[in-house]
Amino acid sequence: MVFSELPNEIIEQILLELDPLTLARCRVTSKRLHELIDGSVPLQIVLEAGIDGLLVVGPHNRHLRYPFSSAKHLLDEIIYIREAIRKFMPRSVWRIPYETGPMEVSDGIICSVGAGDRPKTLYFWEMLAPMDEGHNPFETESNGKRYTHKIRDTDAGADDIVFSTGSDLVVLLERTAATDTGRIKYRLHFRAISTGGPHPEARLSYVEYTSPLSPEFLSETWFTQLYDDMVALLLVQDVQAVQGGVTVWNWKSGEVVVPCQAAIASMFLSQDQLLLVADPKADPPTFSNFEKMKTVVYSISKGRITHNIKLPALILRHPFLFTCPRQTLIQIPSAQVAGKFAPDPSLDIFALRFVSSHNSPCIAVISTQRLLDACNAAFVDQEEYPIDVDWNLWGPKGSRWFPPCSLSSVSERGIHGARMIAFTRPNAFDADDHIGDWVSNEEGDLNTPVILDFNPRPILQGATNCDFPLCRNTVIRDMWSWTILERGKEVVIESGLPFRAFVNKKEWPSLHVYLHSTALVSLMDESNDIHSFLQHPSMWNTGGTTE
């Protein structure tokens, strides 16, 4: 049987296996496919989610097993969420009690560590609106409203946490004690979210690690990162001395897959690659100064640095790397809608924050896929390691460099897929396609939230500038050019990764803001405010809204 003789039901199932861009191309190949795709709600869900840079995960069939009254309701919800984020208009704003211990946001869930008399208790809060009527066994009441959360008691303390609900995993970093030589010791505990006990898939309940940093400097900063089966621990000291190192374990086997590698900033680029800011010639974890550091790619399978990324900013003082956590499907039933859509990895961005020669903070946003493509292309032209990746061949169109003092409070959980949230000035991005006169060398007045969306698909479809009651949208397409001083010489940085800026029209008194596909989390002095763009599941079948 040829393709044209297949019934529409079979063709629909075939088309549901395609990515959004390929599906969009199929739509214009024939009248039959055009009508089939436009008339299929499941296929429209894939296309509409794709416009927002999201992939639909989970079962694909006509009887979509989503927690909605109908697939059409889900399609309407996608479009509503898109407009709500674009206009900074959440369905509800609510508040959960603030815990003074470490906190993490991922998979539509907030995890916080208890304080006071419960330092070994984990709280998992759903990033959804409060329930009007609750049937969930994990409920609490605060300020007259109920909130869905789970409580897990553990026998381990936590100085840092990362988790993935899809793997039922929470990793607790515990700083235990100092050795006889004065070096700090750490434990990484691998716990199950469902029980609070050791994770059943982990061969070891924890691994121990002694800090490689010099014991004379005890002000270590730690960063824990999770990527599928791997967990990375970065230890840094760059105040009194510049030193740091990153170590990676497979949490299931407990084995070290990357022994301590010199770095003062690190992130996962892929399952096999780490992006590091490091001195390639230094023995871990010793560094001499920032001028010798480079941005490099480390291959886990090859066990060595494979690429040298030549950036226009040659000196990266006090660098940090931030990216979206790449994790798996959410499993908590009443919050599943937040996990039915995963960011399209081909649109992922990461942010590089550093201090310029004028001691002003700068932010560079870089397309992860553009960088990976450049690394793969460089293999063809050069065989010896490390391979130089020429910035001019990909960087100007694959990045956007923001001038000093134009953005603040960029953090790892401030990035989700192709979007990033930060704080800026009230008049930021008020001019089309150029930096404008809102840029200042002063750090003050950076208290207006802005969402920067680097997904090119709406821009290619003709997105335009808009003004809404609570938010102003500006589309930036053209190249920016600004100058920094490097080693006594002026260096011109050009960048043109297109983006849309959604600038709120009021100030927020937040310490930090975390971003998710369906909510914003604003960290206040005494609480966490959840700006949710979702209805609570109890309202999905009624069409109602939550106050």
Side-chain angles (χ1 to χ4, degrees), residues 175 178 181-184 186 213-222 237 240 243:
R175 191 167 66 165
T181 61
R183 296 183 185 274
I184 300 174
Y186 295 89
L213 305 191
S214 174
E216 60 183 299
F217 305 118
L218 297 181
S219 57
E220 295 182 5
T221 303
W222 51 83
Q237 214 294 343
Q240 296 163 297
Q243 57 176 340

Side-chain angles (χ1 to χ4, degrees), residues 195-473:
T195 65
H199 197 287
E201 294 185 44
R203 187 174 66 87
L204 303 174
S205 61
Y206 66 86
V207 294
E208 288 190 314
Y209 183 65
T210 300
S211 171
L213 305 191
S214 174
E216 60 183 299
F217 305 118
L218 297 181
S219 57
E220 295 182 5
T221 303
W222 51 83
F223 302 91
T224 315
Q225 302 165 331
L226 184 64
Y227 194 106
D228 293 337
D229 294 344
M230 294 181 292
V231 58
L233 174 62
L234 172 69
L235 299 175
V236 177
Q237 214 294 343
D238 71 351
V239 179
Q240 296 163 297
V242 183
Q243 57 176 340
V246 61
T247 305
V248 181
W249 290 264
N250 181 302
W251 66 265
K252 291 184 177 180
S253 67
E255 297 177 351
V256 174
V257 293
V258 178
C260 183
Q261 177 69 27
I264 60 169
S266 72
M267 57 166 268
F268 285 103
L269 274 177
S270 67
Q271 183 77 28
D272 182 56
Q273 293 167 304
L274 290 167
L275 184 66
L276 310 176
V277 178
D279 179 354
K281 297 181 180 180
D283 293 328
T286 304
F287 296 97
S288 54
N289 56 58
F290 289 116
E291 293 192 9
K292 292 186 177 181
M293 295 185 193
K294 298 180 180 179
T295 306
V296 298
V297 175
Y298 181 93
S299 170
I300 296 175
S301 60
K302 293 180 173 61
R304 62 170 300 156
I305 292 173
T306 56
H307 295 83
N308 175 29
I309 312 300
K310 294 190 172 182
L311 300 180
L314 302 178
I315 304 176
L316 302 177
R317 299 169 183 84
H318 309 288
F320 291 91
L321 290 165
F322 305 108
T323 188
C324 172
R326 181 58 54 193
Q327 297 173 346
T328 49
L329 178 63
I330 194 168
Q331 296 295 325
I332 297 178
S334 59
Q336 272 190 351
V337 65
K340 287 298 180 185
F341 303 99
D344 187 339
S346 68
L347 302 177
D348 277 0
I349 59 170
F350 67 90
L352 169 62
R353 188 180 73 198
F354 63 98
V355 176
S356 71
S357 57
H358 297 292
N359 292 322
S360 300
C362 302
I363 302 291
V365 176
I366 299 174
S367 165
T368 303
Q369 191 62 50
R370 294 280 187 95
L371 175 56
L372 290 173
D373 290 344
C375 290
N376 293 333
F379 268 121
V380 178
D381 301 324
Q382 188 176 335
E383 297 180 355
E384 297 182 358
Y385 295 121
I387 299 171
D388 290 333
V389 179
D390 188 348
W391 174 262
N392 294 322
L393 296 180
W394 71 278
K397 292 186 178 180
S399 67
R400 180 69 68 168
W401 293 63
F402 292 85
C405 303
S406 58
L407 297 175
S408 72
S409 296
V410 177
S411 66
E412 184 168 13
R413 296 305 171 253
I415 294 177
H416 189 85
R419 290 178 180 149
M420 180 178 78
I421 191 166
F423 287 90
T424 188
R425 291 183 172 80
N427 62 334
F429 309 105
D430 58 355
D432 295 352
D433 291 344
H434 63 273
I435 295 178
D437 59 5
W438 56 272
V439 173
S440 169
N441 290 326
E442 302 295 331
E443 294 189 54
D445 300 328
L446 294 175
N447 46 24
T448 300
V450 57
I451 295 177
L452 305 177
D453 191 345
F454 291 86
N455 173 14
R457 294 169 187 170
I459 299 176
L460 293 174
Q461 289 190 334
T464 59
N465 297 349
C466 301
D467 192 88
F468 301 107
L470 300 178
C471 179
R472 172 170 43 82
N473 295 184

